[in-house]
Amino acid sequence: TGVAMMKFKSPPVNSLSLEFLTEFSISLEKLENNRACRGVIITSAVPKIFSSGLDITEMCGKSMEHYTEFWRAVQEMWLRLYGSSMVTVAAVNGSSPAGGCLVALSCDYRIMAENPKFSIGLNEAQLGIVAPFWFKDTFVNVVGHRTAERSLQLGSLHPAPEAHKLGLVDELVPEEKLMEKAAAVMAQWLALPDHARQLTKTMMRKALLDRLLAHREEDIKNFISFVSKESIQKSLRMYMEMLKKRKS
Amino acid sequence: TGVAMMKFKSPPVNSLSLEFLTEFSISLEKLENNRACRGVIITSAVPKIFSSGLDITEMCGKSMEHYTEFWRAVQEMWLRLYGSSMVTVAAVNGSSPAGGCLVALSCDYRIMAENPKFSIGLNEAQLGIVAPFWFKDTFVNVVGHRTAERSLQLGSLHPAPEAHKLGLVDELVPEEKLMEKAAAVMAQWLALPDHARQLTKTMMRKALLDRLLAHREEDIKNFISFVSKESIQKSLRMYMEMLKKRKS
Amino acid sequence: TGVAMMKFKSPPVNSLSLEFLTEFSISLEKLENNRACRGVIITSAVPKIFSSGLDITEMCGKSMEHYTEFWRAVQEMWLRLYGSSMVTVAAVNGSSPAGGCLVALSCDYRIMAENPKFSIGLNEAQLGIVAPFWFKDTFVNVVGHRTAERSLQLGSLHPAPEAHKLGLVDELVPEEKLMEKAAAVMAQWLALPDHARQLTKTMMRKALLDRLLAHREEDIKNFISFVSKESIQKSLRMYMEMLKKRKS
């Protein structure tokens, strides 16, 4: 059918580790180069979670080299996904904070399970950190400036119904209908001639992609300088402690 | 009353041919230079159709010189209408795809007959072609980035009620009340001092107008290079065949 | 509690005179430099009016030097408020036209008394004048391009329920609950780590602030050249006459 399915399967919470991101980018590149593949549906094989976002352990107590490699992998993933010439549909079948939300925001269409226990948002501020400018730009392009400003400052995680109301996701469906709906949406988008659709997508997204490409090394330096601060390391360690306690 | 009425009357579907566009621009210029004229209501004298958009026969099997002249006329019309110092109200009394939608989007206010059989949208992608950047920018300024991205990629034609919900048109009224409503809206806009209103309009629209003015020749070259492709010519011929069959 | 309260108290209508603006900016600067202060709630001590906007007497029949000083004070107030590192909540307990609306738009969150007799908007066009580009940019960032274009051209004053619907204010509450609600919202925003919230706010607002900083002297010149025109002076005098008659 020309449609690939990518199921995130990195328990317990599909953290975007260096390894995960590298594999994700390679998979996207392979599909991109496979002319038979015209669309990809992204979902999770882990119950209740789409992706928990960037793996905080990659940002704690590591070397400059590691931070550089990690951040380049985050950039690479976004450049490939946001700039994909394929139709990309996120079937958000669980919670999706921070980097997980970015993955969904970078797709062409977002369908979410209508479970109010699942939430989605760029909640970086809650962790004492700041989303980089291209997370913000991607968010603004989906929900507009005002909603983005408020949501980013509050680090909001929006329950599915609220996310839908804000336009953060396009559609809610009962969880058991999620894949069926994703396939139907994909078929609708694939009914268009690829060439015209791809040029249109590029026209809409090129300015953002170019902005990161133009500032990629600067963005890496910013990340390293930020994450190297003792105060930020402390915030991240506290957050990891909290996560551990919550689990046990 | 200082209000002009322009009724598109080029059966069967008010295609924006080179001749039509030239006449449209000249009429706008005359009204613009007539100090007694402060506003213009644009509507159609052809039942069920506002305007079917750019005349595809102008883009098929013609010379480079013809393509150049045609595209310059399309640009000219938009520059005059989007940049008009008059109050411009579109009374959309029929369907309005592609270039027809652009005409409506370029006005200050859009009222549409609340007939769900009438639809409006930039559906270029459906024809295998791509709206130029200034169609896209005009659309984004009306409906925002996300709605524009989705609608342009799908080449959506939105039935009147959906178009209203998306903000593509400002108001729906029963068809028999359309002209009465357009006159009332015009009176409301003309109640403002011209000078302040015109400067405000310029402040909102100048960036877009300047962007095309700065890239006008490049935009013509892009159009020619695009429309000269055999694959595009084939798409357009197929589309015309389909239209002919549908008619008979 | 780390929260300051600023109550505008310059009867009869909290006009933003040179003196008022200077005092407002100094107060904001003091709070900004006071590390114990993390947020400020802005409201009015005058019944039924939040602020009537720029004091027109400062723009009528005065010297170039006065216009320069006045406009610099308007800019200064906006630069301090829009760029404040504190959480800023507007408790809009009355009408708020023009510059009064700008004050509210520059805060992080706007709560308005749900009294339909209270209205808010950038109604400069009604007075025959034009809001400067940074009023417009601030407005667009809150309500989006289309709503701003229409509202600015019509010089609309939106009754509270309409302002809420347009996103011009975030929330409506009964007047007697306004301060309680403002305190609750403030607590919610202050629950975030200051550092992350401030950097996020800067990321969202820096482009606009920089735009005025880059064009500050030019913007003053524009104001002077505009306000010095006899036609504008006449409009402003007529408006003042009308206000006087309305009062008596």
Side-chain angles (χ1 to χ4, degrees):
Chain A
T1 65
V3 179
M5 173 80 78
M6 286 182 70
K7 282 203 173 189
F8 292 162
K9 193 175 181 176
S10 178
V13 289
N14 288 332
S15 290
L16 303 173
S17 65
L18 176 56
E19 197 192 336
F20 186 107
L21 288 164
T22 307
E23 227 180 279
F24 188 9
S25 288
I26 291 173
S27 302
L28 282 172
E29 190 184 6
K30 277 188 192 159
L31 294 173
E32 203 76 53
N33 293 333
N34 177 353
R35 296 205 52 181
C37 180
R38 299 173 62 216
V40 56
I41 295 170
I42 298 177
T43 193
S44 165
V46 174
K48 296 180 191 165
I49 192 97
F50 180 70
S51 162
S52 65
L54 303 186
D55 186 342
I56 292 172
T57 62
E58 304 279 14
M59 305 190 219
C60 267
K62 295 288 198 300
S63 69
M64 298 293 160
E65 289 68 34
H66 186 86
Y67 293 150
T68 302
E69 196 185 2
F70 176 62
W71 199 247
R72 200 181 296 279
V74 179
Q75 294 176 333
E76 188 65 25
M77 179 277 288
W78 178 76
L79 289 167
R80 289 210 170 275
L81 185 58
Y82 196 67
S84 175
S85 69
M86 298 180 284
V87 174
T88 50
V89 173
V92 184
N93 55 346
S95 285
S96 200
C101 176
L102 181 75
V103 169
L105 287 170
S106 303
C107 289
D108 290 314
Y109 200 83
R110 286 156 289 286
I111 311 162
M112 192 166 179
E114 66 184 356
N115 185 337
K117 286 184 188 165
F118 297 162
S119 64
I120 185 167
L122 293 175
N123 64 323
E124 280 80 353
Q126 293 272 6
L127 286 64
I129 59 176
V130 179
F133 74 87
W134 41 285
F135 280 51
K136 179 264 287 179
D137 287 344
T138 308
F139 196 31
V140 168
N141 269 1
V142 173
V143 298
H145 191 279
R146 172 56 190 157
T147 297
E149 185 181 80
R150 180 174 163 186
S151 182
L152 285 172
Q153 282 200 63
L154 290 172
S156 303
L157 283 175
H158 306 286
E162 189 179 290
H164 181 239
K165 210 177 148 200
L166 295 175
L168 207 165
V169 298
D170 295 297
E171 211 169 335
L172 298 183
V173 293
E175 196 167 352
E176 66 275 16
K177 302 257 179 149
L178 198 56
M179 296 320 296
E180 185 189 320
K181 184 73 200 181
V185 165
M186 181 60 80
Q188 184 199 7
W189 285 65
L190 289 181
L192 278 287
D194 281 341
H195 187 66
R197 189 192 48 70
Q198 287 162 356
L199 285 174
T200 305
K201 183 169 177 177
T202 300
M203 182 168 64
M204 297 305 296
R205 299 194 168 189
K206 192 170 183 304
L208 281 208
L209 292 162
D210 284 352
R211 203 172 159 213
L212 178 57
L213 288 170
H215 299 283
R216 196 163 179 181
E217 299 310 315
E218 196 185 324
D219 183 58
I220 292 174
K221 272 183 203 150
N222 281 347
F223 171 71
I224 294 179
S225 121
F226 188 74
V227 88
S228 305
K229 283 184 188 150
E230 188 40 42
S231 59
I232 299 303
Q233 285 291 317
K234 203 179 144 191
S235 291
L236 295 175
R237 279 194 304 265
M238 279 171 56
Y239 189 74
M240 285 201 295
E241 288 302 317
M242 193 198 74
L243 289 182
K244 273 182 206 164
K245 273 179 202 153
R246 203 189 281 169
K247 255 184 280 180
S248 58
Chain B
T1 66
V3 179
M5 172 80 80
M6 288 182 67
K7 281 202 173 189
F8 292 162
K9 192 174 181 178
S10 179
V13 290
N14 289 334
S15 290
L16 303 173
S17 65
L18 176 55
E19 197 192 335
F20 186 107
L21 287 164
T22 307
E23 229 181 278
F24 188 9
S25 288
I26 291 173
S27 303
L28 282 173
E29 190 184 5
K30 278 188 192 159
L31 293 173
E32 203 76 52
N33 293 333
N34 177 352
R35 295 204 54 179
C37 181
R38 298 173 63 214
V40 55
I41 295 170
I42 299 176
T43 191
S44 165
V46 174
K48 295 181 191 165
I49 192 96
F50 180 71
S51 162
S52 65
L54 303 185
D55 186 343
I56 292 172
T57 64
E58 304 279 15
M59 306 189 220
C60 266
K62 296 287 198 301
S63 68
M64 297 294 159
E65 288 69 34
H66 186 86
Y67 293 150
T68 302
E69 197 186 0
F70 176 63
W71 200 246
R72 201 180 295 279
V74 180
Q75 294 176 333
E76 188 64 26
M77 179 277 288
W78 179 77
L79 288 167
R80 288 210 170 275
L81 185 58
Y82 197 67
S84 175
S85 69
M86 298 179 285
V87 174
T88 51
V89 173
V92 185
N93 54 346
S95 284
S96 200
C101 177
L102 182 74
V103 170
L105 287 170
S106 303
C107 290
D108 290 313
Y109 200 83
R110 286 156 289 286
I111 310 164
M112 192 166 178
E114 68 183 355
N115 186 337
K117 286 185 187 163
F118 296 162
S119 64
I120 185 167
L122 294 175
N123 64 323
E124 281 80 353
Q126 293 271 4
L127 286 64
I129 58 176
V130 179
F133 74 87
W134 41 285
F135 281 52
K136 178 264 287 177
D137 287 343
T138 308
F139 196 31
V140 168
N141 269 1
V142 173
V143 298
H145 191 278
R146 171 57 188 157
T147 296
E149 184 181 82
R150 180 174 164 186
S151 182
L152 286 172
Q153 282 200 63
L154 290 171
S156 303
L157 283 175
H158 305 286
E162 189 178 290
H164 181 237
K165 210 177 147 198
L166 294 174
L168 207 166
V169 299
D170 295 296
E171 211 169 335
L172 299 182
V173 294
E175 196 167 351
E176 66 275 16
K177 303 257 179 153
L178 198 55
M179 298 319 297
E180 185 189 320
K181 184 73 200 180
V185 165
M186 181 60 80
Q188 183 198 9
W189 285 65
L190 290 181
L192 278 286
D194 280 342
H195 186 67
R197 188 192 48 70
Q198 287 163 356
L199 286 174
T200 305
K201 183 169 177 177
T202 300
M203 182 168 65
M204 296 306 295
R205 298 193 168 191
K206 193 170 183 303
L208 280 208
L209 293 161
D210 284 352
R211 203 172 158 210
L212 177 56
L213 288 171
H215 298 283
R216 196 162 178 182
E217 299 311 315
E218 195 186 324
D219 183 58
I220 292 174
K221 273 184 202 149
N222 281 347
F223 171 71
I224 294 179
S225 121
F226 188 74
V227 87
S228 304
K229 282 184 189 150
E230 189 39 44
S231 58
I232 299 302
Q233 285 290 318
K234 204 178 143 191
S235 290
L236 294 175
R237 280 193 305 267
M238 281 171 56
Y239 189 74
M240 285 200 296
E241 289 301 317
M242 193 197 73
L243 289 182
K244 273 181 206 163
K245 273 179 203 155
R246 205 189 280 170
K247 257 184 281 182
S248 58
Chain C
T1 65
V3 179
M5 172 81 78
M6 286 181 70
K7 283 202 173 189
F8 292 162
K9 193 174 180 177
S10 177
V13 290
N14 288 334
S15 290
L16 303 173
S17 64
L18 177 55
E19 196 193 336
F20 186 107
L21 288 164
T22 307
E23 227 180 280
F24 187 9
S25 288
I26 290 174
S27 302
L28 282 172
E29 190 184 5
K30 277 188 194 160
L31 293 174
E32 203 77 52
N33 292 333
N34 176 353
R35 296 205 53 181
C37 180
R38 299 174 62 216
V40 56
I41 296 170
I42 298 176
T43 193
S44 164
V46 175
K48 295 181 191 166
I49 192 95
F50 180 70
S51 161
S52 65
L54 303 185
D55 187 342
I56 292 172
T57 63
E58 305 278 15
M59 305 190 218
C60 266
K62 296 287 199 299
S63 68
M64 297 294 160
E65 288 68 34
H66 186 85
Y67 293 151
T68 302
E69 197 186 1
F70 176 63
W71 199 248
R72 200 181 295 280
V74 180
Q75 294 176 333
E76 188 65 26
M77 178 277 288
W78 179 76
L79 289 167
R80 289 212 171 274
L81 184 59
Y82 196 66
S84 174
S85 69
M86 298 180 285
V87 174
T88 50
V89 173
V92 184
N93 54 346
S95 284
S96 199
C101 177
L102 181 74
V103 169
L105 287 170
S106 302
C107 290
D108 290 313
Y109 199 83
R110 285 156 289 286
I111 311 163
M112 192 166 177
E114 67 183 357
N115 186 337
K117 287 184 187 165
F118 296 162
S119 64
I120 184 168
L122 294 175
N123 64 323
E124 280 80 354
Q126 293 271 5
L127 286 63
I129 58 175
V130 180
F133 75 86
W134 41 285
F135 280 52
K136 180 263 289 178
D137 288 343
T138 308
F139 196 32
V140 168
N141 269 2
V142 172
V143 298
H145 192 279
R146 172 55 188 158
T147 297
E149 186 182 79
R150 180 175 164 186
S151 181
L152 285 173
Q153 282 200 63
L154 290 171
S156 304
L157 283 176
H158 305 286
E162 190 179 290
H164 182 238
K165 211 177 147 199
L166 295 175
L168 208 166
V169 297
D170 295 296
E171 210 169 334
L172 299 183
V173 294
E175 196 168 349
E176 66 274 16
K177 302 256 179 152
L178 198 56
M179 298 319 296
E180 185 190 320
K181 185 72 199 183
V185 165
M186 180 59 81
Q188 184 198 9
W189 285 65
L190 289 181
L192 278 287
D194 280 341
H195 186 66
R197 189 192 48 71
Q198 288 163 355
L199 286 174
T200 305
K201 183 169 177 177
T202 300
M203 181 167 66
M204 297 305 295
R205 299 194 167 190
K206 192 169 184 305
L208 281 208
L209 292 162
D210 284 352
R211 205 172 157 212
L212 178 57
L213 287 171
H215 299 283
R216 197 163 178 181
E217 299 310 315
E218 197 186 324
D219 183 57
I220 292 174
K221 274 183 201 148
N222 282 347
F223 171 71
I224 294 178
S225 121
F226 188 75
V227 87
S228 305
K229 282 184 188 151
E230 188 39 43
S231 59
I232 299 302
Q233 286 290 318
K234 204 178 143 191
S235 291
L236 294 175
R237 280 193 304 266
M238 281 170 56
Y239 190 74
M240 284 200 297
E241 288 302 316
M242 193 197 75
L243 289 182
K244 273 181 207 164
K245 274 178 202 153
R246 204 190 280 171
K247 257 184 278 177
S248 57

